[in-house]
Amino acid sequence: MMPHFRHPTLKSTIAELLSRLSETSIQQILNFPAHSRNSDASNVVWTLRSQTFIMATLNTTPDSFSDGGDNENVQSALQYSTDAVETGADIVDIGGFSTRPGSYFVSEEEELSRTAPFIAALRKGGLKVPISIDTFRSSVAEKALDAGANCINDVYALTGPPEDVAGTQTTDISMEDEVRVSDNGAMLALAARWKVPVILMHSRGPADKNKDYSKYGGNILEAVQDELGIRVHRALKAGVRRWNIILDPGIGFSKSIRDNVILIRDHSQLTNSRTEITKPSECLPSSPSISLHNFPTLVGTSRKRFLGHLAGREETKISPKSRDWATAAAVTSLVQQNADILRVHAVNSMRDVIRVADGIWREQYK
């Protein structure tokens, strides 16, 4: 617009001024707001691309695939979180409902009891880093945010759970913008209202099902881009801020071993490509389509089953906690592929892996 108009004070044309912007270092940030009702939480701002951020995994469940039963009481959860932050974690992710294949049903009341009181205790105990609530239930998310969480991590990308999960019935399902929705938009409205970062993960229901991507010619990257793009469109249209959206390709969720490998090896293509997802323009009047370009990403490969199969030893096939070396290989690859946040269990050892990889690939030598 008016490229030759000369600014009356700066004495440069609009085109000249814009050209200078590309020569400056404009930094992308991620803000984790502290809610005013919780004086124990702190506002935290990350400068993205400056380092790889580490998310510690705190499961307060008895049946999570790797650490189930390890942190079922507040004291052990506080000790894990404190140790994780001291050894390098930048954020703690707390979940009270396991989404692993074959996991048990958890009622809303039980999930609430496993999350909000723990978050409140972590804040009272002095934890200042961001806390994300790993849930697909809006009621659980809201209680967690009230208790001091400042990020939502949703494996179903703000659509509610699919059939056969958390008591959802097929009669509860509706279609919104080509997305199957089972919570009447409650999680979406919550995310827009609270204005906290939200992690939208790619999934297709239960983790061990729906692995057919023949619609995309078997191109898993294209499939994840397209299906996440639809969910991003829906979130933007509902008022979720673009700068609050983090994308997760959903390693191990409705993916084959080959799919997981491709999504790790070529991770940067997920958001480096300017390929646009053609959707109606009402969510972004200035653009006729949605692009995933430059969205921050989170990836969780830690101790997952496919790593045990790749490692090939009997112990790694059956014991998640024996997969830390295998996790290190995946983590290193993801740093090279510019993932912004990595979700891990063994923070102490993965911190060294990530910092060395940052030194090699991001030239961070702190």
Side-chain angles (χ1 to χ4, degrees):
M1 183 192 302
M2 303 175 65
H4 303 298
F5 175 80
R6 191 168 295 277
H7 193 282
T9 303
L10 299 176
K11 309 302 182 184
S12 299
T13 66
I14 297 299
E16 289 168 343
L17 292 172
L18 290 174
S19 69
R20 292 172 195 168
L21 287 178
S22 62
E23 299 169 3
T24 62
S25 178
I26 300 175
Q27 295 178 316
Q28 185 177 357
I29 65 168
L30 189 61
N31 180 52
F32 297 90
H35 197 273
S36 59
R37 282 181 286 179
N38 192 301
S39 59
D40 298 304
S42 300
N43 188 80
V44 178
V45 178
W46 290 354
T47 301
L48 297 172
R49 313 306 193 280
S50 63
Q51 67 178 79
T52 306
F53 293 92
I54 300 173
M55 173 181 278
T57 307
L58 174 59
N59 291 311
T60 57
T61 56
D63 62 331
S64 291
F65 81 96
S66 174
D67 56 351
D70 289 355
N71 299 299
E72 286 188 273
N73 62 73
V74 170
Q75 190 57 45
S76 61
L78 181 59
Q79 187 64 57
Y80 169 84
S81 301
T82 301
D83 291 346
V85 172
E86 287 179 352
T87 54
D90 300 291
I91 181 172
V92 175
D93 185 55
I94 181 167
F97 191 135
S98 174
T99 50
R100 69 168 177 82
S103 59
Y104 300 111
F105 170 78
V106 178
S107 69
E108 181 177 327
E109 293 74 19
E110 180 67 17
E111 188 181 3
L112 282 167
S113 73
R114 294 176 179 178
T115 50
F118 283 71
I119 292 167
L122 294 179
R123 290 301 187 204
K124 288 292 184 184
L127 196 71
K128 298 299 184 184
V129 300
I131 296 176
S132 58
I133 175 63
D134 184 354
T135 186
F136 49 79
R137 286 174 167 145
S138 61
S139 58
V140 174
E142 183 140 39
K143 290 291 186 182
L145 293 168
D146 265 329
N150 40 12
C151 179
I152 299 170
N153 183 10
D154 187 349
V155 297
Y156 300 124
L158 310 180
T159 65
E163 300 99 318
D164 304 323
V165 176
T168 301
Q169 305 297 320
T170 54
T171 53
D172 299 327
I173 305 294
S174 62
M175 295 298 294
E176 296 179 13
D177 299 323
E178 302 180 39
V179 177
R180 294 169 67 83
V181 177
S182 66
D183 68 348
N184 200 30
M187 190 64 131
L188 190 66
L190 178 78
R193 186 168 70 252
W194 278 78
K195 301 178 179 62
V196 296
V198 293
I199 300 162
L200 306 185
M201 196 190 83
H202 176 269
S203 64
R204 289 177 154 192
D208 57 344
K209 298 180 180 178
N210 305 316
K211 300 180 182 181
D212 181 7
Y213 294 95
S214 56
K215 171 185 174 182
Y216 299 94
N219 187 328
I220 187 62
L221 267 169
E222 180 184 341
V224 172
Q225 281 181 322
D226 184 60
E227 293 174 7
L228 269 181
I230 294 171
R231 285 152 180 78
V232 168
H233 162 78
R234 178 174 176 265
L236 292 172
K237 191 172 71 171
V240 177
R241 273 59 171 172
R242 188 190 192 283
W243 53 85
N244 275 337
I245 295 176
I246 304 164
L247 303 181
D248 181 344
I251 300 296
F253 285 78
S254 301
K255 314 288 192 306
S256 67
I257 293 176
R258 176 180 178 275
D259 293 337
N260 291 323
V261 168
I262 291 171
L263 288 170
I264 294 169
R265 186 189 64 209
D266 301 329
H267 175 75
S268 64
Q269 294 183 30
L270 182 67
T271 56
N272 274 2
S273 170
R274 291 184 181 271
T275 301
E276 293 177 334
I277 313 301
T278 303
K279 291 293 160 196
S281 60
E282 60 265 27
C283 62
L284 288 177
S286 62
S287 173
S289 52
I290 298 298
S291 170
L292 301 187
H293 180 66
N294 222 30
F295 275 94
T297 61
L298 176 146
V299 189
T301 60
S302 184
R303 297 178 176 175
K304 289 191 174 179
R305 184 181 302 175
F306 81 99
L307 294 174
H309 285 285
L310 289 176
R313 293 188 295 112
E314 196 61 33
E315 182 184 10
T316 60
K317 290 180 181 179
I318 62 175
S319 172
K321 290 184 179 179
S322 71
R323 299 171 189 158
D324 284 342
W325 286 106
T327 298
V331 160
T332 302
S333 178
L334 286 162
V335 172
Q336 188 270 338
Q337 285 291 302
N338 297 316
D340 294 285
I341 311 165
L342 296 177
R343 187 176 187 269
V344 302
H345 294 88
V347 174
N348 191 27
S349 53
M350 290 305 112
R351 181 263 180 204
D352 288 353
V353 173
I354 291 169
R355 292 295 172 259
V356 172
D358 267 350
I360 295 169
W361 298 112
R362 296 186 189 268
E363 298 188 12
Q364 297 295 319
Y365 308 123
K366 67 177 182 180

